[in-house]
Amino acid sequence: MSHTLILSGVTFVYFVSFVLYLFGLINGKEFWGRAASFFAWAGLAMQTIALILRWKMSYDLGLGHVPLTNFYESMVFFAWAIIFTYLIVELLTKNKIIGVFVVPIAFLAMAYSSIAPDVSNRIEPLIPALQSNWLTIHVVTCFMGYAAFTVAFGCGLIYLLKNMEKGNTEKPSGLRGKLPALAILDTLIYQSTALGFVFLTIGIMTGSIWAHYAWGSYWSWDPKETWSLITWLIYAIMLHLRHVRGLKGKRMAILALVGFACVLFTYLGVNYLPGLHSYLKT
Amino acid sequence: MSLKKNTLWSFFSSVKLTIVLLIIIVFVFIAATFIPPHIVQAFTGQLSPGVAELFLLLRLSDLYHSFLFYLLMTILSINLIICSINRFPSLWRQYKAPNFPEPAGIFDNLPQSQIIIVGKDSSQIKQIIKSCLKKNYGSTKEVDTGKGYLFYSERCRFSLFGVYIVHLSILVIIVGAIIGSIFGLEADINIKEGESVNVANLSQYNAIHKLDFSVRCDKFIIEYYEDGTPKTYRSDLSFIKNGQVAKQGTLLVNNPLTFDNYRFYQSRYGTAPDIKAIVTYTNIGKKGGSLTLAVGDSFDLPDSNAKGSVLRMENNIMQMGPAIKLRIISPKKDIQFWVFKHIDKIKKMNSNLLTEVPMFNPGLFHPFVFSIDRMEQTYYTGLHIVRDPGVSLVALGGLLMVAGLIIVFFMAYQRFWVRLEQLGTKNIISIVGLSNRNDQQLQDKIDCLCRRIQEEIKA
C-alpha cells in the first residue's frame, strides 16, 4: 500500500479521534475518551509506518533522504510530533480532555498538507544546501518543540474556557465539571512550555551549527532565524515571569496562546518574507 | 552595602528591566523583519538632511546592526551581570547550607504515610535505612542525635546553579559575537577554473582584502539529478603558500575547507564569458579539419583562399542548443551563417528549414560543411571566505545553554532526612524531604523511599 494512501487514512483517523474526544467532553462517559485515545494511537502507528515507507521509497527512487525535507513532509511530521507529544502527556496525566484542542490541530495539518493545491507531496531530490546530517536533528528538534508548544496552547485554551465558565455561576454548564482542574492545566501549560523551550533552544542551536557549515555564518538574521528568536524570547519572558514573579493561571494561558501564534508565524508566515529558508516555500 | 542602595544599581538589578528589554527587543525584531529595506531607503530619502544624517549615524536602516540594538544588548548584558551578582550570596548560602541539624520544624505535622513504626532491633533498622538511602541516592550521612539517629541524602545539589549556567551562556555567546564582529572577516572571491587568486572582496565594505596565500580552482563540477535539480556543486581547490601547494581539497556545499584560519564555503558559481567551440569541417574530396574557436577568432580554410571569423557564440540559442555564427570571406563571396550543434534534430522538426532560412545551413560556404563537436565552457567558482575567531566561544555558549536548560527544567535539588527514634520497645522512622522545585516529584520520591524501607523491614 502506498504511503500517501495511508496518510489520507491517518487524516481521517485523527478526525474521528477528535470527534470522539468531543463526545467525551460533552457526554462525560469514559468510553468516548478511551475510544478517542485508541484512534489517536492507531493514527500515530499508521503515520509512523507511512513515514518509514516514504523514507524507504526515497531510497528506491535513488534519492535517499529522510522524509523531512520539504513543506509537505514538514507538515506531516508536525502532525506526527503533535500526536506523539500529546499522547505522552495523556499517558502521564491520564486526562483525556486536552485532546479536544490538540488533536484537531494535527488533523488540520494533515488535511492542509494533502488538500492545499500548492503543496507538492512528491519525493523531491535534495538540493546541495540540504545535503547535511544536521537537517534531521534540526527539523526533528524544532518540530518536537512546536508540538510541545501546541499542547501548551491546547491547555491554555481549555484554561481560558474553564475560567470563563467559573465566573458564570448561575448557569453551571455541562462542560464545567468535566474539564480538568485549573491547577492541573496551569502545571501542564508550564511543563509543556518548558519542554518546548528546551527543544526550541536545541533546534535553534543545531540550525546555527548547520548554518555555520552551509552558509559560513552561524547567524545571518534571516527572517526565519529572527522569528525563531522572537518565539524563543516570548517563551523566555513567560518562563521568567513564572519563575521570578510567580505568574500563574489566566496570564500564563494567554501567553501560551501568544507564543503559539509566534510559532505558527515562524513556521508558516515567514515564508512570505524573503530569506534564506526559501526552499521551504510551497 | 552602599553599593546596593545605589539607584543605578537597583535599576539594573531588576527583573522588570529584563522583561521590558526583552519585549522591546521583540518589537525591534518584528520591525526589522517586516519593513523591507527599499521602503527604509525611500523613507530616508524623504527626511530632512539633518535627520537623515542622524538616521545614518544610528544605522537605523539596518536594525540588527543599529546603535539602538547595540544599546539594548549592552543594557541587557549589564542587567544580566548585575542580577547574577546580586543573587549570588543567597544562592551560595543555600548551596553551603548545613544538612545537620535538619531545618527546624521539618518533622512536625508529618502525614501518617511518612511515619513507620516497627518493633525490631534498632541497629538492624539502622542498617536497612542506610542501605535504602544508598541504593536510591548513592550516598548517605548520619549523626547520633542523642535521642536516636538522623540520616541525610541528597541529589543534584549543583542544579542550584542551572540558572547561572544559562545566564552565563548568554554572556559567552554575546562575547563570542562581539569578538567575531570586531576581529572577524567575511569576503567573497570568484576564481576561474585553472586560475589562482589572492585577493578577496570584503562582503560588508567596498574594499579588497589581500590573502597571504593564493587559492587555485583546479576544477569546478556541477552534477544534476535526472529531473534537472542540481545535485552537487564541487570545487577542487589548491592552496598555494610561498609558491608551493600547501593543501588540496574538495569543497562542497555543507562541507567547507579550512586553511590558515580562513574557512572557505561553496556559495556561487558561474560561467566565464569566454566559451570555446570545437568545430570540425569537411571539404568534399579534400582534407577536413578541426578548430578550437572563441568569439573574434579568425582562421584560414585550407585549399581555398577563404578566411573565416567567429561573430557570435551561444550556449543555447532560442532553445535550440549551442550555435556559432561564422563569417567567411573569399575573393568571390562574403557570407554569414549559423552552425548549430543539433542541426540534424532541428532539420527533422522543420524539413524545409534550410531552403527557407539559408543562414541556418552549415554548408552554405560550398563545398565546406561545418559542425560543432562540442562547446567548452570555463566555469568560475564563487567562494565565501570567513574568518571568525568568536565561533568557538559561541559554540561553548550554546553547549552551556542547552546543559543549563536541562538542569533548570529537568533536575531539582532534593534533600531527604530520615529520623530514627526509639520510644519504649518501638522504633519510629520519620521520612521527610525538601526540594527547590517540583513538589510532586519530591512527594513521589518520598513515597517510594517509604515503601522501600517498609519492604526491607518485612523481609
Side-chain angles (χ1 to χ4, degrees), chain B residues 228-402:
Chain B
T229 315
K231 185 180 183 182
T232 316
Y233 302 123
R234 186 184 123 186
S235 306
D236 292 339
L237 300 181
S238 299
F239 298 92
I240 301 155
K241 199 165 188 177
N242 305 327
Q244 283 185 328
V245 174
K247 179 175 177 167
Q248 277 189 310
T250 299
L251 183 68
L252 298 158
V253 181
N254 272 309
N255 183 21
L257 288 175
T258 308
F259 185 73
D260 225 20
N261 292 327
Y262 291 91
R263 291 193 317 275
F264 290 79
Y265 294 88
Q266 181 70 56
S267 82
R268 302 168 309 283
Y269 75 95
T271 46
D274 42 336
I275 320 169
K276 282 192 172 133
I278 316 298
V279 177
T280 56
Y281 59 86
T282 56
N283 183 358
I284 299 169
K286 304 228 169 73
K287 225 177 106 208
S290 169
L291 300 157
T292 302
L293 300 173
V295 174
D297 283 357
S298 51
F299 53 91
D300 292 317
L301 286 173
D303 306 314
S304 72
N305 291 325
K307 240 177 141 42
S309 62
V310 184
L311 299 177
R312 281 176 70 184
M313 197 168 279
E314 298 291 337
N315 241 334
N316 188 4
I317 188 162
M318 295 185 293
Q319 302 302 315
M320 291 192 290
I324 59 171
K325 194 180 186 186
L326 297 179
R327 179 183 185 187
I328 311 266
I329 306 170
S330 70
K332 290 175 205 158
K333 282 191 217 167
D334 179 353
I335 52 169
Q336 296 181 6
F337 59 93
W338 284 94
V339 179
F340 286 91
K341 183 167 188 246
H342 305 301
I343 188 67
D344 294 337
K345 243 195 251 171
I346 298 165
K347 268 197 287 193
K348 241 181 237 165
M349 307 228 294
N350 185 349
S351 50
N352 296 330
L353 183 77
L354 296 191
T355 45
E356 277 170 17
V357 193
M359 239 194 143
F360 283 5
N361 185 356
L364 199 63
F365 186 71
H366 198 74
F368 289 88
V369 180
F370 291 86
S371 62
I372 298 175
D373 181 44
R374 63 180 193 275
M375 304 289 270
E376 268 185 4
Q377 215 171 17
T378 325
Y379 283 105
Y380 70 83
T381 180
L383 310 181
H384 189 57
I385 307 180
V386 179
R387 188 187 63 200
D388 187 346
V391 163
S392 40
L393 264 185
V394 174
L396 175 73
L399 268 181
L400 277 178
M401 183 182 287
V402 173

Side-chain angles (χ1 to χ4, degrees), chain B residues 88-244:
Chain B
F88 194 77
S90 72
L91 185 74
W92 188 248
R93 271 198 301 279
Q94 216 183 329
Y95 184 74
K96 281 286 169 192
N99 313 312
F100 296 114
E102 78 281 3
I106 198 174
F107 282 108
D108 301 348
N109 304 322
L110 273 193
Q112 275 308 306
S113 61
Q114 282 171 235
I115 300 173
I116 304 166
I117 301 172
V118 281
K120 276 191 187 171
D121 171 37
S122 72
S123 66
Q124 209 182 335
I125 291 172
K126 203 178 133 188
Q127 280 313 312
I128 289 171
I129 293 172
K130 261 169 89 172
S131 78
C132 282
L133 281 170
K134 244 185 204 153
K135 252 182 231 161
N136 280 14
Y137 307 109
S139 73
T140 179
K141 285 180 211 153
E142 59 167 292
V143 283
D144 192 338
T145 58
K147 282 182 271 175
Y149 293 97
L150 185 63
F151 303 88
Y152 169 82
S153 283
E154 63 172 29
R155 61 195 302 273
C156 302
R157 185 193 285 238
F158 64 90
S159 76
L160 285 174
F161 293 105
V163 172
Y164 270 78
I165 297 174
V166 175
H167 288 165
L168 177 73
S169 75
I170 291 172
L171 292 174
V172 171
I173 291 174
I174 291 175
V175 171
I178 292 171
I179 289 177
S181 70
I182 295 174
F183 301 107
L185 172 143
E186 273 185 73
D188 291 282
I189 43 174
N190 292 337
I191 314 174
K192 256 204 271 184
E193 270 181 312
E195 292 186 357
S196 48
V197 170
N198 65 352
V199 284
N201 301 309
L202 291 174
S203 308
Q204 278 161 340
Y205 318 96
N206 197 8
I208 275 176
H209 176 75
K210 199 171 176 311
L211 303 165
D212 46 6
F213 55 89
S214 58
V215 192
R216 189 176 68 210
C217 173
D218 298 321
K219 188 112 195 91
F220 179 81
I221 294 168
I222 317 177
E223 286 170 31
Y224 294 95
Y225 292 102
E226 275 169 29
D227 69 348
T229 315
K231 185 180 183 182
T232 316
Y233 302 123
R234 186 184 123 186
S235 306
D236 292 339
L237 300 181
S238 299
F239 298 92
I240 301 155
K241 199 165 188 177
N242 305 327
Q244 283 185 328

